[in-house]
Amino acid sequence: MWGWKPVERNIEPSVTLEQARSIMKEAGFDEHVTNPDHVIFRRTGTQLAVKGEKFPIEVALATSEGGLFLQVRYDTFALFDTGDLAKLADELVAKLG
């Protein structure tokens, strides 16, 4: 498994997936994979860092029954959890909710 354990959140209620795509682009993420019901975004970073916020990040968004499902994970190997993934997930939930 690349990275650390992913952080997952259900966002109910939420913006639409189309609105979420715009919000994620404004937050510095680029679309990597796009399908009708889910999108995977990536943000570049450095492969060697002490703080998790500098690592490359991958975010998956998918439609769910009541809103959106969000998964945030490092897009590289991470030796330990710095808590940055949970913090980023909470920030994205606030923007998408």
Side-chain angles (χ1 to χ4, degrees), residues 9-16 37 61-70:
R9 303 279 191 271
N10 286 308
I11 310 169
E12 299 174 3
S14 69
V15 299
T16 67
D37 293 329
L61 279 175
T63 56
S64 65
E65 290 181 17
L68 291 173
F69 172 77
L70 170 85

Side-chain angles (χ1 to χ4, degrees), residues 47-69:
Q47 296 292 322
L48 183 61
V50 175
K51 291 190 160 213
E53 63 193 28
K54 297 189 185 264
F55 281 135
I57 300 287
E58 188 172 85
V59 175
L61 279 175
T63 56
S64 65
E65 290 181 17
L68 291 173
F69 172 77

Side-chain angles (χ1 to χ4, degrees), residues 32-54:
H32 179 66
V33 176
T34 304
N35 288 298
D37 293 329
H38 78 277
V39 182
I40 298 175
F41 299 90
R42 286 191 173 160
R43 183 179 73 191
T44 59
T46 180
Q47 296 292 322
L48 183 61
V50 175
K51 291 190 160 213
E53 63 193 28
K54 297 189 185 264

